PDB file of all heavy atoms in Angstrom:
ATOM      1  N   GLU Q   5     -10.152 -48.845-107.201  1.00 70.00           N
ATOM      2  CA  GLU Q   5      -9.350 -49.002-105.991  1.00 70.00           C
ATOM      3  C   GLU Q   5      -8.475 -47.780-105.705  1.00 70.00           C
ATOM      4  O   GLU Q   5      -7.754 -47.748-104.717  1.00 70.00           O
ATOM      5  CB  GLU Q   5      -8.476 -50.274-106.068  1.00 70.00           C
ATOM      6  CG  GLU Q   5      -7.398 -50.250-107.139  1.00 70.00           C
ATOM      7  CD  GLU Q   5      -7.851 -50.825-108.453  1.00 70.00           C
ATOM      8  OE1 GLU Q   5      -9.035 -50.669-108.811  1.00 70.00           O
ATOM      9  OE2 GLU Q   5      -7.010 -51.433-109.142  1.00 70.00           O
ATOM     10  N   GLU Q   6      -8.525 -46.777-106.567  1.00 72.00           N
ATOM     11  CA  GLU Q   6      -7.808 -45.525-106.338  1.00 72.00           C
ATOM     12  C   GLU Q   6      -8.798 -44.432-105.973  1.00 72.00           C
ATOM     13  O   GLU Q   6      -9.854 -44.312-106.593  1.00 72.00           O
ATOM     14  CB  GLU Q   6      -7.018 -45.110-107.590  1.00 72.00           C
ATOM     15  CG  GLU Q   6      -5.898 -46.065-107.946  1.00 72.00           C
ATOM     16  CD  GLU Q   6      -5.138 -45.613-109.178  1.00 72.00           C
ATOM     17  OE1 GLU Q   6      -5.740 -44.945-110.043  1.00 72.00           O
ATOM     18  OE2 GLU Q   6      -3.953 -45.936-109.279  1.00 72.00           O
ATOM     19  N   GLN Q   7      -8.455 -43.627-104.982  1.00 73.00           N
ATOM     20  CA  GLN Q   7      -9.355 -42.574-104.530  1.00 73.00           C
ATOM     21  C   GLN Q   7      -8.881 -41.234-105.078  1.00 73.00           C
ATOM     22  O   GLN Q   7      -7.737 -40.834-104.879  1.00 73.00           O
ATOM     23  CB  GLN Q   7      -9.406 -42.540-102.991  1.00 73.00           C
ATOM     24  CG  GLN Q   7     -10.606 -41.814-102.408  1.00 73.00           C
ATOM     25  CD  GLN Q   7     -10.505 -40.310-102.504  1.00 73.00           C
ATOM     26  OE1 GLN Q   7      -9.427 -39.735-102.410  1.00 73.00           O
ATOM     27  NE2 GLN Q   7     -11.625 -39.663-102.705  1.00 73.00           N
ATOM     28  N   PHE Q   8      -9.760 -40.551-105.781  1.00 75.00           N
ATOM     29  CA  PHE Q   8      -9.496 -39.217-106.296  1.00 75.00           C
ATOM     30  C   PHE Q   8     -10.686 -38.323-105.982  1.00 75.00           C
ATOM     31  O   PHE Q   8     -11.829 -38.779-106.025  1.00 75.00           O
ATOM     32  CB  PHE Q   8      -9.297 -39.213-107.818  1.00 75.00           C
ATOM     33  CG  PHE Q   8      -7.998 -39.802-108.283  1.00 75.00           C
ATOM     34  CD1 PHE Q   8      -7.960 -41.060-108.851  1.00 75.00           C
ATOM     35  CD2 PHE Q   8      -6.810 -39.099-108.156  1.00 75.00           C
ATOM     36  CE1 PHE Q   8      -6.775 -41.612-109.282  1.00 75.00           C
ATOM     37  CE2 PHE Q   8      -5.616 -39.641-108.585  1.00 75.00           C
ATOM     38  CZ  PHE Q   8      -5.594 -40.902-109.152  1.00 75.00           C
ATOM     39  N   GLU Q   9     -10.412 -37.081-105.675  1.00 83.00           N
ATOM     40  CA  GLU Q   9     -11.507 -36.115-105.634  1.00 83.00           C
ATOM     41  C   GLU Q   9     -12.082 -36.058-107.043  1.00 83.00           C
ATOM     42  O   GLU Q   9     -11.341 -36.022-108.016  1.00 83.00           O
ATOM     43  CB  GLU Q   9     -10.972 -34.756-105.181  1.00 83.00           C
ATOM     44  CG  GLU Q   9     -12.032 -33.819-104.608  1.00 83.00           C
ATOM     45  CD  GLU Q   9     -12.972 -33.252-105.658  1.00 83.00           C
ATOM     46  OE1 GLU Q   9     -12.472 -32.909-106.752  1.00 83.00           O
ATOM     47  OE2 GLU Q   9     -14.178 -33.150-105.397  1.00 83.00           O
ATOM     48  N   HIS Q  10     -13.412 -36.050-107.161  1.00 88.00           N
ATOM     49  CA  HIS Q  10     -14.015 -36.261-108.475  1.00 88.00           C
ATOM     50  C   HIS Q  10     -13.673 -35.161-109.477  1.00 88.00           C
ATOM     51  O   HIS Q  10     -13.556 -35.427-110.671  1.00 88.00           O
ATOM     52  CB  HIS Q  10     -15.535 -36.403-108.342  1.00 88.00           C
ATOM     53  CG  HIS Q  10     -16.156 -37.141-109.483  1.00 88.00           C
ATOM     54  ND1 HIS Q  10     -15.919 -38.478-109.731  1.00 88.00           N
ATOM     55  CD2 HIS Q  10     -17.013 -36.732-110.462  1.00 88.00           C
ATOM     56  CE1 HIS Q  10     -16.580 -38.855-110.804  1.00 88.00           C
ATOM     57  NE2 HIS Q  10     -17.260 -37.828-111.268  1.00 88.00           N
ATOM     58  N   ALA Q  11     -13.506 -33.933-108.998  1.00 88.00           N
ATOM     59  CA  ALA Q  11     -13.129 -32.857-109.908  1.00 88.00           C
ATOM     60  C   ALA Q  11     -11.756 -33.132-110.517  1.00 88.00           C
ATOM     61  O   ALA Q  11     -11.538 -32.895-111.712  1.00 88.00           O
ATOM     62  CB  ALA Q  11     -13.135 -31.513-109.179  1.00 88.00           C
ATOM     63  N   GLU Q  12     -10.835 -33.649-109.707  1.00 84.00           N
ATOM     64  CA  GLU Q  12      -9.508 -33.992-110.227  1.00 84.00           C
ATOM     65  C   GLU Q  12      -9.601 -35.108-111.245  1.00 84.00           C
ATOM     66  O   GLU Q  12      -8.945 -35.080-112.286  1.00 84.00           O
ATOM     67  CB  GLU Q  12      -8.580 -34.397-109.082  1.00 84.00           C
ATOM     68  CG  GLU Q  12      -7.191 -34.795-109.542  1.00 84.00           C
ATOM     69  CD  GLU Q  12      -6.313 -35.355-108.439  1.00 84.00           C
ATOM     70  OE1 GLU Q  12      -6.703 -35.246-107.254  1.00 84.00           O
ATOM     71  OE2 GLU Q  12      -5.253 -35.920-108.764  1.00 84.00           O
ATOM     72  N   LEU Q  13     -10.440 -36.109-110.950  1.00 84.00           N
ATOM     73  CA  LEU Q  13     -10.612 -37.216-111.877  1.00 84.00           C
ATOM     74  C   LEU Q  13     -11.151 -36.724-113.218  1.00 84.00           C
ATOM     75  O   LEU Q  13     -10.661 -37.114-114.281  1.00 84.00           O
ATOM     76  CB  LEU Q  13     -11.557 -38.244-111.257  1.00 84.00           C
ATOM     77  CG  LEU Q  13     -11.768 -39.560-111.984  1.00 84.00           C
ATOM     78  CD1 LEU Q  13     -12.112 -40.656-110.989  1.00 84.00           C
ATOM     79  CD2 LEU Q  13     -12.871 -39.459-113.024  1.00 84.00           C
ATOM     80  N   LEU Q  14     -12.167 -35.854-113.180  1.00 88.00           N
ATOM     81  CA  LEU Q  14     -12.734 -35.327-114.431  1.00 88.00           C
ATOM     82  C   LEU Q  14     -11.699 -34.528-115.193  1.00 88.00           C
ATOM     83  O   LEU Q  14     -11.615 -34.603-116.434  1.00 88.00           O
ATOM     84  CB  LEU Q  14     -13.952 -34.458-114.119  1.00 88.00           C
ATOM     85  CG  LEU Q  14     -15.186 -35.192-113.583  1.00 88.00           C
ATOM     86  CD1 LEU Q  14     -16.246 -34.188-113.136  1.00 88.00           C
ATOM     87  CD2 LEU Q  14     -15.765 -36.155-114.615  1.00 88.00           C
ATOM     88  N   THR Q  15     -10.889 -33.757-114.481  1.00 83.00           N
ATOM     89  CA  THR Q  15      -9.832 -32.975-115.126  1.00 83.00           C
ATOM     90  C   THR Q  15      -8.817 -33.891-115.784  1.00 83.00           C
ATOM     91  O   THR Q  15      -8.352 -33.623-116.901  1.00 83.00           O
ATOM     92  CB  THR Q  15      -9.139 -32.064-114.100  1.00 83.00           C
ATOM     93  OG1 THR Q  15     -10.106 -31.164-113.552  1.00 83.00           O
ATOM     94  CG2 THR Q  15      -8.029 -31.253-114.753  1.00 83.00           C
ATOM     95  N   ARG Q  16      -8.452 -34.963-115.105  1.00 79.00           N
ATOM     96  CA  ARG Q  16      -7.510 -35.927-115.661  1.00 79.00           C
ATOM     97  C   ARG Q  16      -8.049 -36.581-116.931  1.00 79.00           C
ATOM     98  O   ARG Q  16      -7.281 -37.034-117.775  1.00 79.00           O
ATOM     99  CB  ARG Q  16      -7.191 -37.008-114.619  1.00 79.00           C
ATOM    100  CG  ARG Q  16      -6.219 -36.565-113.531  1.00 79.00           C
ATOM    101  CD  ARG Q  16      -6.290 -37.472-112.321  1.00 79.00           C
ATOM    102  NE  ARG Q  16      -6.038 -38.871-112.624  1.00 79.00           N
ATOM    103  CZ  ARG Q  16      -4.849 -39.473-112.501  1.00 79.00           C
ATOM    104  NH1 ARG Q  16      -3.810 -38.780-112.073  1.00 79.00           N
ATOM    105  NH2 ARG Q  16      -4.709 -40.752-112.780  1.00 79.00           N
ATOM    106  N   MET Q  17      -9.379 -36.635-117.071  1.00 82.00           N
ATOM    107  CA  MET Q  17      -9.990 -37.204-118.269  1.00 82.00           C
ATOM    108  C   MET Q  17     -10.208 -36.174-119.360  1.00 82.00           C
ATOM    109  O   MET Q  17     -10.771 -36.485-120.407  1.00 82.00           O
ATOM    110  CB  MET Q  17     -11.328 -37.852-117.891  1.00 82.00           C
ATOM    111  CG  MET Q  17     -11.205 -39.090-117.010  1.00 82.00           C
ATOM    112  SD  MET Q  17     -10.312 -40.437-117.805  1.00 82.00           S
ATOM    113  CE  MET Q  17     -11.449 -40.873-119.114  1.00 82.00           C
ATOM    114  N   GLY Q  18      -9.795 -34.927-119.105  1.00 82.00           N
ATOM    115  CA  GLY Q  18      -9.886 -33.901-120.147  1.00 82.00           C
ATOM    116  C   GLY Q  18     -11.123 -33.045-120.102  1.00 82.00           C
ATOM    117  O   GLY Q  18     -11.336 -32.215-120.987  1.00 82.00           O
ATOM    118  N   TYR Q  19     -11.949 -33.197-119.071  1.00 88.00           N
ATOM    119  CA  TYR Q  19     -13.130 -32.349-118.926  1.00 88.00           C
ATOM    120  C   TYR Q  19     -12.775 -31.056-118.193  1.00 88.00           C
ATOM    121  O   TYR Q  19     -11.802 -31.007-117.426  1.00 88.00           O
ATOM    122  CB  TYR Q  19     -14.215 -33.061-118.097  1.00 88.00           C
ATOM    123  CG  TYR Q  19     -14.840 -34.272-118.748  1.00 88.00           C
ATOM    124  CD1 TYR Q  19     -14.512 -35.554-118.316  1.00 88.00           C
ATOM    125  CD2 TYR Q  19     -15.787 -34.136-119.760  1.00 88.00           C
ATOM    126  CE1 TYR Q  19     -15.095 -36.675-118.886  1.00 88.00           C
ATOM    127  CE2 TYR Q  19     -16.375 -35.249-120.335  1.00 88.00           C
ATOM    128  CZ  TYR Q  19     -16.026 -36.522-119.899  1.00 88.00           C
ATOM    129  OH  TYR Q  19     -16.608 -37.625-120.468  1.00 88.00           O
ATOM    130  N   THR Q  20     -13.587 -30.029-118.389  1.00 89.00           N
ATOM    131  CA  THR Q  20     -13.552 -28.851-117.534  1.00 89.00           C
ATOM    132  C   THR Q  20     -14.515 -29.109-116.386  1.00 89.00           C
ATOM    133  O   THR Q  20     -15.716 -29.242-116.595  1.00 89.00           O
ATOM    134  CB  THR Q  20     -13.968 -27.588-118.306  1.00 89.00           C
ATOM    135  OG1 THR Q  20     -13.042 -27.369-119.379  1.00 89.00           O
ATOM    136  CG2 THR Q  20     -13.963 -26.373-117.378  1.00 89.00           C
ATOM    137  N   ALA Q  21     -13.963 -29.251-115.168  1.00 92.00           N
ATOM    138  CA  ALA Q  21     -14.747 -29.692-114.024  1.00 92.00           C
ATOM    139  C   ALA Q  21     -15.124 -28.527-113.123  1.00 92.00           C
ATOM    140  O   ALA Q  21     -14.319 -27.631-112.878  1.00 92.00           O
ATOM    141  CB  ALA Q  21     -13.977 -30.728-113.222  1.00 92.00           C
ATOM    142  N   THR Q  22     -16.364 -28.545-112.644  1.00 95.00           N
ATOM    143  CA  THR Q  22     -16.831 -27.587-111.643  1.00 95.00           C
ATOM    144  C   THR Q  22     -17.620 -28.342-110.583  1.00 95.00           C
ATOM    145  O   THR Q  22     -18.166 -29.419-110.842  1.00 95.00           O
ATOM    146  CB  THR Q  22     -17.718 -26.490-112.258  1.00 95.00           C
ATOM    147  OG1 THR Q  22     -18.781 -27.112-113.014  1.00 95.00           O
ATOM    148  CG2 THR Q  22     -16.922 -25.585-113.187  1.00 95.00           C
ATOM    149  N   VAL Q  23     -17.663 -27.776-109.376  1.00 95.00           N
ATOM    150  CA  VAL Q  23     -18.375 -28.401-108.258  1.00 95.00           C
ATOM    151  C   VAL Q  23     -19.353 -27.400-107.678  1.00 95.00           C
ATOM    152  O   VAL Q  23     -19.014 -26.235-107.463  1.00 95.00           O
ATOM    153  CB  VAL Q  23     -17.395 -28.861-107.154  1.00 95.00           C
ATOM    154  CG1 VAL Q  23     -18.148 -29.632-106.071  1.00 95.00           C
ATOM    155  CG2 VAL Q  23     -16.278 -29.708-107.735  1.00 95.00           C
ATOM    156  N   GLU Q  24     -20.573 -27.858-107.420  1.00 96.00           N
ATOM    157  CA  GLU Q  24     -21.606 -27.025-106.816  1.00 96.00           C
ATOM    158  C   GLU Q  24     -22.037 -27.627-105.483  1.00 96.00           C
ATOM    159  O   GLU Q  24     -22.286 -28.842-105.406  1.00 96.00           O
ATOM    160  CB  GLU Q  24     -22.841 -26.942-107.722  1.00 96.00           C
ATOM    161  CG  GLU Q  24     -22.586 -26.377-109.101  1.00 96.00           C
ATOM    162  CD  GLU Q  24     -23.830 -26.449-109.974  1.00 96.00           C
ATOM    163  OE1 GLU Q  24     -24.660 -27.388-109.769  1.00 96.00           O
ATOM    164  OE2 GLU Q  24     -23.974 -25.577-110.857  1.00 96.00           O
ATOM    165  N   VAL Q  25     -22.099 -26.810-104.443  1.00 95.00           N
ATOM    166  CA  VAL Q  25     -22.685 -27.231-103.171  1.00 95.00           C
ATOM    167  C   VAL Q  25     -24.156 -26.834-103.222  1.00 95.00           C
ATOM    168  O   VAL Q  25     -24.497 -25.652-103.207  1.00 95.00           O
ATOM    169  CB  VAL Q  25     -21.983 -26.578-101.973  1.00 95.00           C
ATOM    170  CG1 VAL Q  25     -22.672 -26.998-100.673  1.00 95.00           C
ATOM    171  CG2 VAL Q  25     -20.507 -26.956-101.944  1.00 95.00           C
ATOM    172  N   LEU Q  26     -25.036 -27.817-103.301  1.00 96.00           N
ATOM    173  CA  LEU Q  26     -26.455 -27.552-103.487  1.00 96.00           C
ATOM    174  C   LEU Q  26     -27.188 -27.320-102.167  1.00 96.00           C
ATOM    175  O   LEU Q  26     -28.147 -26.556-102.115  1.00 96.00           O
ATOM    176  CB  LEU Q  26     -27.103 -28.712-104.249  1.00 96.00           C
ATOM    177  CG  LEU Q  26     -26.484 -29.029-105.625  1.00 96.00           C
ATOM    178  CD1 LEU Q  26     -27.217 -30.195-106.279  1.00 96.00           C
ATOM    179  CD2 LEU Q  26     -26.518 -27.800-106.532  1.00 96.00           C
ATOM    180  N   SER Q  27     -26.742 -27.980-101.105  1.00 95.00           N
ATOM    181  CA  SER Q  27     -27.377 -27.773 -99.800  1.00 95.00           C
ATOM    182  C   SER Q  27     -26.457 -28.283 -98.703  1.00 95.00           C
ATOM    183  O   SER Q  27     -25.650 -29.197 -98.918  1.00 95.00           O
ATOM    184  CB  SER Q  27     -28.733 -28.484 -99.717  1.00 95.00           C
ATOM    185  OG  SER Q  27     -28.572 -29.894 -99.789  1.00 95.00           O
ATOM    186  N   ARG Q  28     -26.593 -27.665 -97.507  1.00 93.00           N
ATOM    187  CA  ARG Q  28     -25.859 -28.086 -96.309  1.00 93.00           C
ATOM    188  C   ARG Q  28     -26.765 -27.864 -95.106  1.00 93.00           C
ATOM    189  O   ARG Q  28     -27.422 -26.827 -94.990  1.00 93.00           O
ATOM    190  CB  ARG Q  28     -24.574 -27.251 -96.121  1.00 93.00           C
ATOM    191  CG  ARG Q  28     -23.541 -27.433 -97.206  1.00 93.00           C
ATOM    192  CD  ARG Q  28     -22.411 -26.415 -97.048  1.00 93.00           C
ATOM    193  NE  ARG Q  28     -21.605 -26.703 -95.876  1.00 93.00           N
ATOM    194  CZ  ARG Q  28     -20.544 -27.493 -95.875  1.00 93.00           C
ATOM    195  NH1 ARG Q  28     -20.169 -28.089 -96.990  1.00 93.00           N
ATOM    196  NH2 ARG Q  28     -19.850 -27.698 -94.782  1.00 93.00           N
ATOM    197  N   SER Q  29     -26.820 -28.860 -94.210  1.00 92.00           N
ATOM    198  CA  SER Q  29     -27.626 -28.728 -93.011  1.00 92.00           C
ATOM    199  C   SER Q  29     -27.132 -29.712 -91.966  1.00 92.00           C
ATOM    200  O   SER Q  29     -26.465 -30.707 -92.288  1.00 92.00           O
ATOM    201  CB  SER Q  29     -29.109 -28.978 -93.307  1.00 92.00           C
ATOM    202  OG  SER Q  29     -29.310 -30.303 -93.780  1.00 92.00           O
ATOM    203  N   VAL Q  30     -27.440 -29.433 -90.701  1.00 92.00           N
ATOM    204  CA  VAL Q  30     -27.100 -30.325 -89.588  1.00 92.00           C
ATOM    205  C   VAL Q  30     -28.380 -30.928 -89.049  1.00 92.00           C
ATOM    206  O   VAL Q  30     -29.385 -30.234 -88.858  1.00 92.00           O
ATOM    207  CB  VAL Q  30     -26.355 -29.561 -88.480  1.00 92.00           C
ATOM    208  CG1 VAL Q  30     -26.145 -30.453 -87.254  1.00 92.00           C
ATOM    209  CG2 VAL Q  30     -25.014 -29.041 -88.991  1.00 92.00           C
ATOM    210  N   GLY Q  31     -28.373 -32.242 -88.833  1.00 92.00           N
ATOM    211  CA  GLY Q  31     -29.568 -32.913 -88.323  1.00 92.00           C
ATOM    212  C   GLY Q  31     -29.251 -34.269 -87.731  1.00 92.00           C
ATOM    213  O   GLY Q  31     -28.084 -34.680 -87.684  1.00 92.00           O
ATOM    214  N   ALA Q  32     -30.284 -34.955 -87.294  1.00 92.00           N
ATOM    215  CA  ALA Q  32     -30.108 -36.286 -86.705  1.00 92.00           C
ATOM    216  C   ALA Q  32     -29.621 -37.269 -87.763  1.00 92.00           C
ATOM    217  O   ALA Q  32     -30.043 -37.224 -88.924  1.00 92.00           O
ATOM    218  CB  ALA Q  32     -31.431 -36.762 -86.111  1.00 92.00           C
ATOM    219  N   ILE Q  33     -28.746 -38.153 -87.352  1.00 91.00           N
ATOM    220  CA  ILE Q  33     -28.204 -39.121 -88.303  1.00 91.00           C
ATOM    221  C   ILE Q  33     -29.288 -40.143 -88.646  1.00 91.00           C
ATOM    222  O   ILE Q  33     -30.011 -40.622 -87.768  1.00 91.00           O
ATOM    223  CB  ILE Q  33     -26.952 -39.803 -87.711  1.00 91.00           C
ATOM    224  CG1 ILE Q  33     -26.234 -40.611 -88.788  1.00 91.00           C
ATOM    225  CG2 ILE Q  33     -27.292 -40.681 -86.527  1.00 91.00           C
ATOM    226  CD1 ILE Q  33     -24.838 -41.023 -88.385  1.00 91.00           C
ATOM    227  N   PRO Q  34     -29.469 -40.465 -89.929  1.00 90.00           N
ATOM    228  CA  PRO Q  34     -30.507 -41.437 -90.312  1.00 90.00           C
ATOM    229  C   PRO Q  34     -30.277 -42.798 -89.663  1.00 90.00           C
ATOM    230  O   PRO Q  34     -29.143 -43.216 -89.451  1.00 90.00           O
ATOM    231  CB  PRO Q  34     -30.361 -41.514 -91.840  1.00 90.00           C
ATOM    232  CG  PRO Q  34     -29.699 -40.233 -92.232  1.00 90.00           C
ATOM    233  CD  PRO Q  34     -28.785 -39.889 -91.102  1.00 90.00           C
ATOM    234  N   VAL Q  35     -31.376 -43.473 -89.361  1.00 91.00           N
ATOM    235  CA  VAL Q  35     -31.294 -44.771 -88.701  1.00 91.00           C
ATOM    236  C   VAL Q  35     -30.451 -45.752 -89.507  1.00 91.00           C
ATOM    237  O   VAL Q  35     -29.635 -46.504 -88.950  1.00 91.00           O
ATOM    238  CB  VAL Q  35     -32.710 -45.343 -88.486  1.00 91.00           C
ATOM    239  CG1 VAL Q  35     -32.628 -46.759 -87.920  1.00 91.00           C
ATOM    240  CG2 VAL Q  35     -33.513 -44.444 -87.553  1.00 91.00           C
ATOM    241  N   GLU Q  36     -30.645 -45.766 -90.839  1.00 90.00           N
ATOM    242  CA  GLU Q  36     -29.931 -46.741 -91.656  1.00 90.00           C
ATOM    243  C   GLU Q  36     -28.423 -46.472 -91.708  1.00 90.00           C
ATOM    244  O   GLU Q  36     -27.633 -47.345 -92.079  1.00 90.00           O
ATOM    245  CB  GLU Q  36     -30.498 -46.757 -93.082  1.00 90.00           C
ATOM    246  CG  GLU Q  36     -30.297 -45.481 -93.888  1.00 90.00           C
ATOM    247  CD  GLU Q  36     -31.395 -44.451 -93.668  1.00 90.00           C
ATOM    248  OE1 GLU Q  36     -32.153 -44.592 -92.677  1.00 90.00           O
ATOM    249  OE2 GLU Q  36     -31.485 -43.531 -94.488  1.00 90.00           O
ATOM    250  N   VAL Q  37     -28.013 -45.264 -91.334  1.00 93.00           N
ATOM    251  CA  VAL Q  37     -26.592 -44.913 -91.353  1.00 93.00           C
ATOM    252  C   VAL Q  37     -25.948 -45.115 -89.982  1.00 93.00           C
ATOM    253  O   VAL Q  37     -24.742 -45.294 -89.875  1.00 93.00           O
ATOM    254  CB  VAL Q  37     -26.397 -43.458 -91.834  1.00 93.00           C
ATOM    255  CG1 VAL Q  37     -24.925 -43.065 -91.853  1.00 93.00           C
ATOM    256  CG2 VAL Q  37     -26.998 -43.287 -93.227  1.00 93.00           C
ATOM    257  N   GLN Q  38     -26.749 -45.124 -88.936  1.00 93.00           N
ATOM    258  CA  GLN Q  38     -26.216 -45.276 -87.577  1.00 93.00           C
ATOM    259  C   GLN Q  38     -25.376 -46.539 -87.435  1.00 93.00           C
ATOM    260  O   GLN Q  38     -24.269 -46.507 -86.903  1.00 93.00           O
ATOM    261  CB  GLN Q  38     -27.359 -45.302 -86.560  1.00 93.00           C
ATOM    262  CG  GLN Q  38     -28.073 -43.978 -86.376  1.00 93.00           C
ATOM    263  CD  GLN Q  38     -29.265 -44.113 -85.443  1.00 93.00           C
ATOM    264  OE1 GLN Q  38     -29.421 -45.119 -84.746  1.00 93.00           O
ATOM    265  NE2 GLN Q  38     -30.133 -43.107 -85.448  1.00 93.00           N
ATOM    266  N   ALA Q  39     -25.901 -47.664 -87.910  1.00 92.00           N
ATOM    267  CA  ALA Q  39     -25.167 -48.922 -87.774  1.00 92.00           C
ATOM    268  C   ALA Q  39     -23.894 -48.909 -88.623  1.00 92.00           C
ATOM    269  O   ALA Q  39     -22.853 -49.440 -88.207  1.00 92.00           O
ATOM    270  CB  ALA Q  39     -26.059 -50.093 -88.177  1.00 92.00           C
ATOM    271  N   LEU Q  40     -23.977 -48.322 -89.799  1.00 94.00           N
ATOM    272  CA  LEU Q  40     -22.806 -48.288 -90.682  1.00 94.00           C
ATOM    273  C   LEU Q  40     -21.658 -47.503 -90.059  1.00 94.00           C
ATOM    274  O   LEU Q  40     -20.489 -47.864 -90.222  1.00 94.00           O
ATOM    275  CB  LEU Q  40     -23.187 -47.684 -92.032  1.00 94.00           C
ATOM    276  CG  LEU Q  40     -24.199 -48.470 -92.864  1.00 94.00           C
ATOM    277  CD1 LEU Q  40     -24.586 -47.704 -94.117  1.00 94.00           C
ATOM    278  CD2 LEU Q  40     -23.642 -49.843 -93.239  1.00 94.00           C
ATOM    279  N   LEU Q  41     -21.985 -46.411 -89.373  1.00 94.00           N
ATOM    280  CA  LEU Q  41     -20.950 -45.573 -88.748  1.00 94.00           C
ATOM    281  C   LEU Q  41     -20.736 -45.923 -87.279  1.00 94.00           C
ATOM    282  O   LEU Q  41     -19.913 -45.275 -86.624  1.00 94.00           O
ATOM    283  CB  LEU Q  41     -21.322 -44.091 -88.895  1.00 94.00           C
ATOM    284  CG  LEU Q  41     -21.417 -43.551 -90.320  1.00 94.00           C
ATOM    285  CD1 LEU Q  41     -21.666 -42.046 -90.292  1.00 94.00           C
ATOM    286  CD2 LEU Q  41     -20.161 -43.862 -91.118  1.00 94.00           C
ATOM    287  N   GLU Q  42     -21.458 -46.912 -86.781  1.00 92.00           N
ATOM    288  CA  GLU Q  42     -21.358 -47.318 -85.377  1.00 92.00           C
ATOM    289  C   GLU Q  42     -21.543 -46.102 -84.456  1.00 92.00           C
ATOM    290  O   GLU Q  42     -20.781 -45.889 -83.515  1.00 92.00           O
ATOM    291  CB  GLU Q  42     -20.011 -47.992 -85.100  1.00 92.00           C
ATOM    292  CG  GLU Q  42     -19.799 -49.274 -85.876  1.00 92.00           C
ATOM    293  CD  GLU Q  42     -18.498 -49.969 -85.540  1.00 92.00           C
ATOM    294  OE1 GLU Q  42     -17.466 -49.282 -85.409  1.00 92.00           O
ATOM    295  OE2 GLU Q  42     -18.503 -51.214 -85.406  1.00 92.00           O
ATOM    296  N   SER Q  43     -22.571 -45.329 -84.737  1.00 91.00           N
ATOM    297  CA  SER Q  43     -22.788 -44.076 -84.007  1.00 91.00           C
ATOM    298  C   SER Q  43     -23.936 -44.201 -83.022  1.00 91.00           C
ATOM    299  O   SER Q  43     -24.793 -45.090 -83.128  1.00 91.00           O
ATOM    300  CB  SER Q  43     -23.084 -42.941 -84.995  1.00 91.00           C
ATOM    301  OG  SER Q  43     -24.305 -43.185 -85.666  1.00 91.00           O
TER     302      SER Q  43
END
């Protein structure tokens, strides 16, 4: 029920945390997500 950025959460648990952006792209919103976001 608490929201933390995951790198902060891992750091709080004593890990050395790193984040990688593996891919980024712009495209049509998936059908299954349209209803969830009311888009």
Side-chain angles (χ1 to χ4, degrees):
E5 66 269 34
E6 294 181 331
Q7 198 285 326
F8 287 105
E9 202 288 320
H10 203 66
E12 179 187 349
L13 186 152
L14 291 172
T15 299
R16 283 162 57 96
M17 292 297 293
Y19 293 105
T20 298
T22 53
V23 186
E24 301 175 330
V25 177
L26 303 180
S27 65
R28 295 171 70 89
S29 62
V30 173
I33 191 166
V35 174
E36 66 273 16
V37 180
Q38 290 175 14
L40 296 175
L41 297 185
E42 297 183 318
S43 65

